[in-house]
Amino acid sequence: MTQTLSDARARRQALNLPYTHVNDFFIGGKWVPARGEERRDVTDPATNEVWGSVPSITTPELDDAVAAARSALPEWSALSGAQRAEYLLRIADEIEARADVLAATNTRENGSPISETRGAAANAAGIFRYFATLASWLDAEDVRPFPAGGAESLVEKDPIGVCGLIAPWNFPINLVVIKLAPALLAGSTVVIKPASPTPLSIRFIIEAVAAAGVPAGVVNLITGPGSSGDALVRHPDVNKIAFTGSTPVGRTIAAACGELLRPVTLELGGKSSAIVLPDADLDAMSSVLIRSCMRNTGQTCYISTRILAPASRYEEIVQMVGDTIVAAPQGDPLDETTVFGPVATRAQYDTVMGYLESAREEGARIVTGGGRASGFTDGEFIEPTVLADVTPEMTVAREEIFGPVITILRYDDSDGTADEAIALANNTEFGLGGLVFGADEDTALDVAKRVDSGSVGINFFGSNHAAPFGGRHDSGMGVEYGIEGLSAYLSYKSIHRKV
Ligand code: NAP
Ligand code: MG
């Protein structure tokens, strides 16, 4: 970054963002002033400037938010899927109308490059529009004859009720919208709790919901620390929890929901592998490497940060990965050309630096990067790092780093198979994403089928709104996206009758 810190701050001042220091929650269709004293700061990780703050919800205010969602349920659930889909389509348009200010706010909250956050509104709108297409499935009469004859069952798809939606800070819009859109189509109502580093950008989604005319109480927004999320999870009048975040917090939530017999969807951490087959086209791999393996400065749950390279081409692959990472500019996340920004928080900075230290101690080879990025007067900037000679037992090979760090492991391909690579890929606690790079499509598909994970890409990774996305093992329970994702906000009921 050639600009000085004061330039960076002046540039941010000039953005004139509408939400900075706020003191209200969205409850029952209105912005309601907070009644408590406790607040939390919002810090720009590129400059370390505290530029915003939000109130923490109190217990009576949380009760109000859940009660608002409860009282909105009869009217909202009485609409047909087609009627609710009309609202979803209007919300999509209203979100797109707020794309620029949403992107700038999101970039200030978590340092995601503006090239990333600029797509957030369009992606959110796409999710609302996709779920609107499922109205016909939702509304279709579903009658199933008894196999033995003489009677039939009418299968009803009721909304599950009041849903608590809890999101992390890495994609604060997408990871709410992927819960909100199906919940609304299903006829359920929601209380949203964003992550503490990213509580402001989500307000543009709330604005869009209000502008689309969604009835009061259907969507409510609270802010507060993890304990507010815990209170929402355990609230006696909540019917379902949808959570995206870390595996340890996910376990706590699963335990609470187990005790309460409360349905829960958990999208948790990952440690996904990119298996490079000996016939892979490395130029093609280079062109998708950052998107698939380092998206959002390495802070994306499903990316394949663990590259499994065949021994026969190991050094060639290390060279290509190193060159690709070095060529990607790191800088002010507000710059259009920036690929790597800062990491999102000081806590994340410390975590990632700890992993780099462990890599050094455990004998990994640093190909590029490895420490604090020079050239930045302030902010949580870590050099994009490539680690080679990583062995399966090293900490950096096993745990989710969630920062700009790629590890490259070696597998033995002398037997002409990818068996060892597949075994390595499956030898983690997680099972979220994965990739196979290879020229022969049949072989690549065969390998992809043997990876024990919820999603695997062949020569690229993308998210398809129509296909289920979810983690296996420590990466979560249940899925989002697709009809399967919509089903998580429904409660099925079978009415049997004689024919
Ligand atoms: P986190 O610490 O688990 O927090 C996630 C959310 O839960 C935040 O809103 C947090 O609030 C809240 N929370 C914290 N403690 C809670 C509790 N006891 N009960 C209820 N809610 C609680 O995760 P993060 O640090 O924000 O995000 C990074 C993690 O998310 C990574 O592990 C990443 O892999 C995972 N992730 C997974 C996916 C996926 O789809 N599988 C996608 C993106 C990210 P506060 O912020 O106020 O603490
Ligand atoms: Mg956290």
Side-chain angles (χ1 to χ4, degrees):
M1 187 157 55
T2 50
Q3 65 186 349
T4 65
L5 184 62
S6 58
D7 287 343
R9 291 193 170 179
R11 176 184 200 183
R12 284 162 167 75
Q13 201 67 43
L15 289 171
N16 249 323
L17 298 176
Y19 297 123
T20 56
H21 296 279
V22 300
N23 193 39
D24 46 19
F25 309 112
F26 193 75
I27 297 176
K30 298 188 298 284
W31 293 102
V32 180
R35 304 201 290 268
E37 295 295 308
E38 197 191 310
R39 302 182 58 78
R40 294 175 77 79
D41 288 340
V42 182
T43 304
D44 186 329
T47 60
N48 292 136
E49 186 186 2
V50 173
W51 64 280
S53 60
V54 294
S56 296
I57 195 133
T58 61
T59 303
E61 290 167 311
L62 177 63
D63 289 343
D64 291 349
V66 174
R70 172 67 52 198
S71 61
L73 201 51
E75 180 192 341
W76 186 244
S77 62
L79 299 177
S80 66
Q83 288 170 316
R84 289 191 296 266
E86 294 296 321
Y87 285 97
L88 267 65
L89 295 176
R90 287 204 292 276
I91 294 170
D93 293 343
E94 294 290 346
I95 293 172
E96 281 185 323
R98 292 163 173 81
D100 288 345
V101 72
L102 181 157
T105 302
N106 184 347
T107 290
R108 285 217 75 186
E109 288 172 326
N110 70 357
S112 288
I114 195 83
S115 59
E116 177 70 64
T117 58
R118 269 216 201 296
N123 179 62
I127 292 172
F128 276 103
R129 291 187 184 120
Y130 164 71
F131 279 102
T133 69
L134 298 187
S136 52
W137 175 82
L138 190 62
D139 288 340
E141 200 181 53
D142 184 357
V143 177
R144 305 187 195 182
F146 277 56
E152 64 181 17
S153 304
L154 181 61
V155 178
E156 296 269 278
K157 304 180 203 96
D158 292 338
I160 202 162
V162 175
C163 302
L165 313 184
I166 303 177
W169 44 257
N170 57 336
F171 290 93
I173 301 300
N174 172 273
L175 295 172
V176 170
V177 165
I178 191 49
K179 300 166 177 55
L180 178 60
L184 293 186
L185 183 72
S188 292
T189 61
V190 308
V191 176
I192 299 167
K193 197 216 87 70
S196 289
T198 52
L200 294 171
S201 53
I202 192 63
R203 293 168 77 103
F204 298 105
I205 301 297
I206 301 295
E207 277 189 6
V209 164
V214 173
V218 172
V219 178
N220 304 276
L221 175 72
I222 65 167
T223 50
S227 54
S228 310
D230 183 62
L232 178 61
V233 166
R234 295 171 197 272
H235 195 285
D237 214 21
V238 166
N239 302 109
K240 183 213 159 64
I241 293 295
F243 171 81
T244 299
S246 64
T247 297
V249 173
R251 272 187 217 288
T252 308
I253 292 175
C257 290
E259 197 63 43
L260 293 161
L261 294 179
R262 184 163 293 171
V264 59
T265 307
L266 301 170
E267 300 287 356
L268 309 177
K271 186 75 183 175
S272 305
S273 298
I275 298 176
V276 187
L277 297 175
D279 67 349
D281 173 345
L282 298 193
D283 288 337
M285 181 175 165
S286 171
S287 69
V288 299
L289 185 84
I290 291 182
R291 187 79 177 170
S292 311
C293 304
M294 277 286 94
R295 185 176 180 187
N296 197 25
T297 316
Q299 301 164 118
T300 306
C301 53
Y302 61 72
I303 52 175
S304 295
T305 56
R306 202 173 177 255
I307 293 178
L308 308 182
S312 61
R313 297 185 72 186
Y314 190 76
E315 287 308 328
E316 197 189 338
I317 290 165
V318 168
Q319 182 82 40
M320 179 277 287
V321 173
D323 291 350
T324 306
I325 296 298
V326 167
Q330 182 171 35
D332 185 336
L334 285 175
D335 282 338
E336 298 291 341
T337 55
T338 289
V339 174
F340 288 100
V343 295
T345 63
R346 171 51 55 90
Q348 202 56 32
Y349 179 91
D350 292 341
T351 303
V352 176
M353 288 304 227
Y355 279 117
L356 292 177
E357 191 53 42
S358 81
R360 235 177 245 111
E361 279 166 12
E362 294 173 25
R365 166 165 51 117
I366 296 173
V367 177
T368 181
R372 181 175 173 81
S374 60
F376 299 94
T377 38
D378 219 334
E380 315 299 352
F381 288 90
I382 297 175
E383 290 175 297
T385 299
V386 177
L387 301 173
D389 300 341
V390 172
T391 55
E393 58 288 346
M394 285 183 193
T395 311
V396 290
R398 310 201 61 78
E399 297 182 12
E400 181 182 56
I401 298 172
F402 229 55
V405 183
I406 289 194
T407 60
I408 311 179
L409 288 76
R410 185 185 273 106
Y411 75 88
D412 181 1
D413 60 324
S414 61
D415 64 355
T417 77
D419 291 355
E420 189 177 308
I422 295 163
L424 277 171
N426 293 342
N427 181 22
T428 78
E429 310 297 318
F430 299 104
L432 189 56
L435 271 159
V436 180
F437 288 103
D440 182 76
E441 286 174 21
D442 293 338
T443 308
L445 178 60
D446 177 57
V447 172
K449 286 183 177 180
R450 292 168 64 196
V451 173
D452 184 14
S453 158
S455 302
V456 184
I458 297 178
N459 293 319
F460 89 112
F461 198 97
S463 94
N464 176 354
H465 299 163
F469 172 85
R472 297 182 179 177
H473 312 293
D474 286 5
S475 291
M477 295 199 305
V479 295
E480 296 188 316
Y481 293 98
I483 282 181
E484 296 82 358
L486 174 59
S487 294
Y489 297 91
L490 296 171
S491 183
Y492 289 90
K493 174 163 142 193
S494 297
I495 300 173
H496 313 298
R497 61 188 176 201
K498 290 278 189 191
V499 286

